[in-house]
């Protein structure tokens, strides 16, 4: 079964730590031994050979930069103080993806159109279907990258969105912390006038709206306002995190809103999002994979079907090996979800939908 992962900050890692994702996660871990990288971001979960063994066909690859007020040290070099600086850093990350795919077309490919998506899926599903596909798959299959912008602070004005669309960005999340568009994680608040203007232009161009990190109030307002596709690429249900007061998680009202709009939710295998009170540095052994399955099941139970849940791992986005459930060593281990969902009574088709099919169907709706 193919996996689609709706959130990985690849460019941020490449620029911040020099991680070379054409190599294996184990290789990158060895290279980083003796550095402080594991302290800042844990050991990597990602690498091309692991994408192959885990059948990770598609990744929503982010443009992500940190507002200076959240910057945690010298190492954290992608911090911006204003829109102009954020704009420059986002562009730098676009260039990173262009280079990654340009220099390693057999390993990574940008997916900007429906035609590119179908071509890629053909290679993954049936390598011998065409000569070209067979050629590509001889040494493995290229991983598709769908570009997604997290935070949106690098957009100087809505008119500029045309340019981002041209460069291949297909999803935008207007929040990380609070932004000038809306309230966000740790910084609650509503949609702003500028936020509504952004959404208007996003819809005109056909972007998918990512509610992850939006404060509940802003998310509900956006659900009322945005006529286009709505998803939460990486977020877990607050209802299963008893005692948590973080506005980073999805409230039932937001979950219901997303489901009513035929949206999608990517569940996150991060211990701090699976067990209330767990923080980076705590014992990894205290969290098993069960709560991740419960998060997936929670969305499916509310929906009454398996068409709205998926994976948004966020691996390497501020956490890695030391902060994920026992049993998950690299991204390839997400395939273990198949057996666990099956034990819970999920049918094979539903499991395939959750691991990747649901994201693929949403991409088919949104890609030009
Ligand atoms: Zn995030």
């Amino acid at each position: 079964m193919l996996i689609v992962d709706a959130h990985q900050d690849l460019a941020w890692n490449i620029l911040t730590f020099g991680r070379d994702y054409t190599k294996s996660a184990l290789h990158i871990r060895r290279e980083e031994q003796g550095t402080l990288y594991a302290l800042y971001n844990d050991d990597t979960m990602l690498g091309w050979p692991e994408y192959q063994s885990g059948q990770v066909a598609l990744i929503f690859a982010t443009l992500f930069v940190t507002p200076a007020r959240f910057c945690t040290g010298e190492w954290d070099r992608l911090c911006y103080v204003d829109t102009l600086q954020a704009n420059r850093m986002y562009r730098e990350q676009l260039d990173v993806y262009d280079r990654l795919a340009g220099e390693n077309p057999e390993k990574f490919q940008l997916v900007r159109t429906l035609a590119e998506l179908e071509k890629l899926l053909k290679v993954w599903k049936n390598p011998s279907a065409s000569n070209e596909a067979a050629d590509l798959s001889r040494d493995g299959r290229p991983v598709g990258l769908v570009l997604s912008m997290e935070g949106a602070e690098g957009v100087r004005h809505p008119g500029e969105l045309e340019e981002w669309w041209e460069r291949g960005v297909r999803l935008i999340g207007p929040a990380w912390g609070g932004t000038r568009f809306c309230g966000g994680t740790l910084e609650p608040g509503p949609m702003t006038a500028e936020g509504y203007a952004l959404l208007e232009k996003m819809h005109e161009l056909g972007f998918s709206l990512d509610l992850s990190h939006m404060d509940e109030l802003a998310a509900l307002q956006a659900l009322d306002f945005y006529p286009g596709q709505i998803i939460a690429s990486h977020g877990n249900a607050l209802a299963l995190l008893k005692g948590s007061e973080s506005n980073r998680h999805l409230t039932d009202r937001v979950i219901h809103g997303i489901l009513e709009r035929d949206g999608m939710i990517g569940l996150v295998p991060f211990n701090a999002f699976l067990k209330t009170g767990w923080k980076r540095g705590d014992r990894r052994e205290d969290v098993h994979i069960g709560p991740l399955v419960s998060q997936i099941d929670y969305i499916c139970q509310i929906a009454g079907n398996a068409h709205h849940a998926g994976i948004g791992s966020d691996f390497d986005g501020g956490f890695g090996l030391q902060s994920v459930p026992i049993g998950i060593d690299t991204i390839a281990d997400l395939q273990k979800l198949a057996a666990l969902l099956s034990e819970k009574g999920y049918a094979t088709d539903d499991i395939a939908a959750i691991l990747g099919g649901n994201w693929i169907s949403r991409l088919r709706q949104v890609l030009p």
Side-chain angles (χ1 to χ4, degrees), residues 7 150 176 213 234 248 314:
H7 200 89
E150 183 170 29
W176 185 70
H213 287 282
H234 60 308
R248 174 65 181 85
D314 206 0

Side-chain angles (χ1 to χ4, degrees), residues 290-344:
L292 176 62
V293 178
S294 303
Q295 283 283 348
I296 294 171
D297 187 52
Y298 185 75
I299 303 299
C300 297
Q301 294 303 334
I302 294 182
N305 59 55
H307 304 153
H308 303 273
I311 294 166
S313 82
D314 206 0
F315 285 158
D316 289 14
F319 69 94
L321 180 65
Q322 289 79 355
S323 306
V324 300
I326 285 292
I328 303 182
D329 184 53
T330 72
I331 187 151
D333 295 309
L334 290 179
Q335 285 288 352
K336 290 180 181 171
L337 285 170
L340 294 164
L341 287 165
S342 172
E343 268 169 42
K344 236 181 154 59

Side-chain angles (χ1 to χ4, degrees), residues 175-352:
W176 185 70
T179 59
R180 55 189 217 282
F181 305 113
C182 62
T185 302
L186 297 174
E187 299 178 331
M191 289 290 303
T192 64
E194 232 178 323
Y196 283 118
L198 183 84
L199 294 191
E200 244 167 50
K201 191 70 186 177
M202 277 172 60
H203 177 242
E204 193 187 309
L205 292 164
F207 282 96
S208 179
L209 167 64
D210 187 352
L211 299 185
S212 308
H213 287 282
M214 284 172 81
D215 185 47
E216 183 190 31
L217 173 58
L220 293 174
Q221 289 173 328
L223 277 160
D224 280 342
F225 184 82
Y226 197 68
Q229 185 179 82
I230 299 184
I231 64 155
S233 64
H234 60 308
N236 286 0
L238 178 66
L240 296 186
L241 292 158
K242 293 272 181 287
S244 169
E245 281 168 19
S246 169
N247 75 338
R248 174 65 181 85
H249 308 303
L250 301 167
T251 64
D252 281 352
R253 284 196 288 190
V254 171
I255 292 171
H256 280 276
I258 293 173
L259 299 183
E260 275 162 26
R261 297 292 308 283
D262 194 29
M264 269 292 293
I265 296 168
L267 288 316
V268 191
F270 175 28
N271 289 354
F273 288 12
L274 295 172
K275 183 175 192 238
T276 308
W278 195 97
K279 349 175 258 317
R280 276 192 65 211
D282 285 355
R283 277 165 42 90
R284 186 186 172 207
E285 293 72 20
D286 291 346
V287 187
H288 291 255
I289 201 168
L292 176 62
V293 178
S294 303
Q295 283 283 348
I296 294 171
D297 187 52
Y298 185 75
I299 303 299
C300 297
Q301 294 303 334
I302 294 182
N305 59 55
H307 304 153
H308 303 273
I311 294 166
S313 82
D314 206 0
F315 285 158
D316 289 14
F319 69 94
L321 180 65
Q322 289 79 355
S323 306
V324 300
I326 285 292
I328 303 182
D329 184 53
T330 72
I331 187 151
D333 295 309
L334 290 179
Q335 285 288 352
K336 290 180 181 171
L337 285 170
L340 294 164
L341 287 165
S342 172
E343 268 169 42
K344 236 181 154 59
Y346 281 76
T348 307
D349 283 357
D350 286 340
I351 297 170

